Amino acid sequence: MSLFKRFNFKVIIRVSFILVTVLLLAYIFGDDRLFFNQIILFILLVLQVYELIRFVNYTNRELAKFILSIRHNDFSINFRRSKIGRSFEELHDAFDDIIQSYEEAKIEKQAQFEYLRLVVNNMNIGIISLENNQNIALMNKSAERILGVKGIKNWRILEEKSRSFTAKINEMNESGRRLIEISIQGQSHTLSVDVVLIKMLDTQYKLITFQDIHGEIEQKEIEAWHKLIKILTHEIMNSATPISSLTETMQSVIEADGKAKKVTELDDETIEDLLFSLKTIQRRSNGMLTFIDDYRRLTKVAKPKLEKVNMQQFLDSISSLLQAQLKKDKIGFEYSVDGMDELMLDSALIEQVLINMVKNATYALQNTKDPKIVVKGYVENNKKTIEITDNGAGIPDKEISEIFVPFFSTKKDGSGIGLSLSKQIMHLHNGNIRVKSEVGKGTSFYLVFNG
């Protein structure tokens, strides 16, 4: 017999007893001889009605007890210990199974939470979860170590303990990524910071992740200096060596036994050799001066004057500047703008970057059948991008990592500062240059603007 049927049967039995009692009470009602019997039947009737109400309400009481046990996380309740009777065994078993499942789910959830907290605490990246811009819901050990604080649960307190860090974060507003320089306990640190807004259950969280990359930057700076010194040394030696050699040769020509020869002792051939040597020295000296001037230009890039620029008009002007030369070189040129009507930039500096990119592409298109350059402006992943693509020779993998190094060039007459200067200009625009190339198929440069 099912639980529902057993419940109905017991209700019917109790109602039947109540009806019998009511009929008996009605039958003897008014008979003075059975006065005490009437009292007994009346008391019995009250008890039967109470028992019926108690029996019917039992389910509600058990359900309320079950809900309260879940609400207060009280898993000690065992409905199988009930002494009410066997009519509600299935209900008790169901309640017990649900509570056991809920307890197991909570234990599993707690284990996952502890595992996640262990992972977060052992990450080498600082993590701070800020609730409603006030309460610190989470700060892992790496964050405490980097900032030199411990056990802080309020953003205002952290502002007092680490003013330089919190001030930079507040400047970033809702979200973003940037490098920040801060001072912690008198030491300078460079942090790579990423801020993301998350909304969960009507609560706003600001997730702040950061990593101290001061050591990595110092290492990269040392490597960059080594590369730069190597290139500078190479260029200077290329000019200084022939100058020194020619000077020594000229000295040997006009000297004899440690004394200068007389003019009458110099023939026309000797004078021609001296003139040739002097011209060579002048040419190499001018080359060195040009190299030094290029280095000066690379280290003194003007701060960009940002303004809203209409991208269609901007690319129109670039096309007008380059069209004649590209037509002369028989190179196809296309440009388009999709979803990027305006862009904040210094038009003069970015024009310089684009012209340099197109000239590099022109060099790469030598000996290419149906040479073509395509410039496109579009928005991708919320970042405005200008793409310059050619179908030229491509760049070998071994040169990809070197092309942005100052004075590195694959051209015979190249200065090697064009791409370095372009990358510096893009950094000043809070952007970057990416490159993708395949030998024999072409190269694409991407000017990515983060702002």
Side-chain angles (χ1 to χ4, degrees):
M1 188 180 293
S2 68
L3 173 65
F4 179 72
K5 289 182 177 179
R6 286 204 302 268
F7 177 77
N8 287 341
F9 176 75
K10 288 187 175 290
V11 170
I12 292 172
I13 291 295
R14 282 167 171 75
V15 171
S16 299
F17 277 122
I18 290 173
L19 289 174
V20 171
T21 303
V22 169
L23 290 174
L24 286 174
L25 182 60
Y27 180 75
I28 66 174
F29 189 76
D31 191 341
D32 294 338
R33 293 172 302 171
L34 300 175
F35 177 73
F36 288 105
N37 290 19
Q38 295 174 26
I39 295 174
I40 292 172
L41 286 174
F42 181 77
I43 294 172
L44 181 61
L45 178 62
V46 171
L47 291 174
Q48 287 176 337
V49 171
Y50 171 78
E51 167 60 20
L52 176 62
I53 294 172
R54 189 196 66 83
F55 181 79
V56 172
N57 287 338
Y58 176 73
T59 303
N60 293 337
R61 291 197 303 272
E62 291 294 280
L63 184 59
K65 185 169 69 174
F66 167 72
I67 293 173
L68 286 173
S69 67
I70 293 179
R71 180 181 177 184
H72 297 291
N73 296 322
D74 182 7
F75 304 116
S76 62
I77 294 178
N78 189 334
F79 290 92
R80 292 189 177 92
R81 291 199 295 264
S82 175
K83 299 180 180 179
I84 300 300
R86 300 183 60 187
S87 59
F88 286 92
E89 286 182 357
E90 291 184 13
L91 180 64
H92 294 159
D93 291 343
F95 283 168
D96 283 334
D97 289 342
I98 292 173
I99 286 180
Q100 184 177 356
S101 299
Y102 188 84
E103 183 179 12
E104 290 173 356
K106 185 175 181 182
I107 292 172
E108 184 179 355
K109 181 181 177 182
Q110 185 66 27
Q112 290 176 348
F113 175 77
E114 292 297 331
Y115 174 74
L116 179 61
R117 188 167 65 176
L118 184 65
V119 170
V120 168
N121 276 328
N122 283 277
M123 291 179 68
N124 198 32
I125 298 175
I127 301 175
I128 297 176
S129 177
L130 186 60
E131 180 181 346
N132 294 325
N133 290 322
Q134 183 174 356
N135 298 321
I136 297 177
L138 170 69
M139 179 186 287
N140 69 346
K141 291 181 179 178
S142 292
E144 293 179 341
R145 174 179 52 80
I146 293 171
L147 299 178
V149 297
K150 192 172 183 180
I152 293 179
K153 299 297 181 182
N154 188 277
W155 184 254
R156 303 300 178 197
I157 298 175
L158 184 60
E159 285 180 326
E160 296 177 2
K161 298 286 185 180
S162 184
R163 294 182 184 276
S164 57
F165 173 76
T166 53
K168 296 289 186 181
I169 298 299
N170 291 334
E171 287 176 7
M172 294 177 68
N173 296 324
E174 294 184 351
S175 60
R177 176 181 296 178
R178 62 186 291 190
L179 290 178
I180 63 174
E181 295 280 347
I182 64 172
S183 177
I184 301 173
Q185 297 177 351
Q187 294 185 352
S188 177
H189 295 264
T190 303
L191 303 183
S192 175
V193 181
D194 198 353
V195 178
V196 178
L197 279 183
I198 302 172
K199 194 168 185 179
M200 296 177 61
L201 302 176
D202 296 327
T203 302
Q204 182 175 281
Y205 293 91
K206 181 183 285 187
L207 185 63
I208 306 166
T209 57
F210 52 96
Q211 187 174 15
D212 190 350
I213 58 172
H214 187 72
E216 287 82 353
I217 288 179
E218 284 187 340
Q219 182 61 33
K220 288 294 182 182
E221 285 178 348
I222 292 171
E223 292 176 3
W225 274 112
H226 284 171
K227 287 182 178 179
L228 184 57
I229 291 170
K230 182 179 178 181
I231 293 169
L232 289 172
T233 304
H234 175 74
E235 291 295 330
I236 292 171
M237 288 300 293
N238 282 347
S239 296
T241 300
I243 289 174
S244 175
S245 177
L246 288 170
T247 303
E248 186 178 351
T249 302
M250 290 168 61
Q251 185 178 355
S252 65
V253 168
I254 61 175
E255 278 187 352
D257 299 326
K259 294 181 180 181
K261 291 182 179 178
K262 295 180 180 180
V263 177
T264 55
E265 295 181 273
L266 301 178
D267 55 23
D268 292 342
E269 184 180 353
T270 302
I271 293 174
E272 287 180 3
D273 289 341
L274 289 173
L275 183 60
F276 173 79
S277 297
L278 287 171
K279 287 182 177 180
T280 304
I281 290 172
Q282 183 185 20
R283 187 172 64 254
R284 293 310 304 167
S285 298
N286 289 336
M288 187 180 293
L289 289 173
T290 301
F291 173 78
I292 293 170
D293 186 59
D294 287 340
Y295 179 76
R296 182 185 59 80
R297 287 170 52 205
L298 188 63
T299 56
K300 290 185 178 180
V301 181
K303 187 177 180 180
K305 298 177 181 178
L306 301 180
E307 58 182 355
K308 281 187 178 180
V309 175
N310 183 289
M311 288 308 298
Q312 186 64 50
Q313 296 176 2
F314 180 66
L315 292 183
D316 286 342
S317 67
I318 297 290
S319 176
S320 299
L321 285 171
L322 300 171
Q323 198 64 250
Q325 185 62 44
L326 291 172
K327 190 174 181 180
K328 181 181 177 182
D329 295 334
K330 297 180 180 180
I331 296 175
F333 183 72
E334 296 178 5
Y335 63 97
S336 62
V337 177
D338 183 16
M340 191 173 68
D341 297 332
E342 291 183 334
L343 188 58
M344 290 293 293
L345 52 80
D346 185 317
S347 57
L349 290 177
I350 298 301
E351 182 180 282
Q352 180 181 348
V353 172
L354 284 174
I355 291 173
N356 180 65
M357 294 288 180
V358 173
K359 284 185 176 180
N360 286 346
T362 301
Y363 178 81
L365 288 167
Q366 293 177 358
N367 304 319
T368 299
K369 186 178 180 181
D370 299 324
K372 187 177 183 180
I373 298 173
V374 179
V375 178
K376 295 187 292 184
Y378 55 86
V379 179
E380 186 177 58
N381 297 326
N382 295 323
K383 293 182 178 180
K384 296 182 178 180
T385 303
I386 301 175
E387 178 183 339
I388 305 96
T389 300
D390 67 68
N391 60 340
I395 305 172
D397 291 340
K398 63 180 181 180
E399 294 178 359
I400 283 285
S401 60
E402 303 288 337
I403 59 175
F404 294 107
V405 176
F407 309 112
F408 175 86
S409 178
T410 57
K411 304 175 189 175
K412 293 180 180 179
D413 57 346
S415 64
I417 69 166
L419 285 176
S420 301
L421 196 60
S422 298
K423 190 165 189 176
Q424 194 174 158
I425 289 171
M426 286 303 298
H427 281 166
L428 291 172
H429 280 77
N430 192 30
N432 198 7
I433 297 181
R434 293 188 291 106
V435 60
K436 184 170 66 176
S437 184
E438 189 172 349
V439 175
K441 292 188 176 181
T443 302
S444 293
F445 282 90
Y446 303 87
L447 309 183
V448 183
F449 297 83
N450 297 318

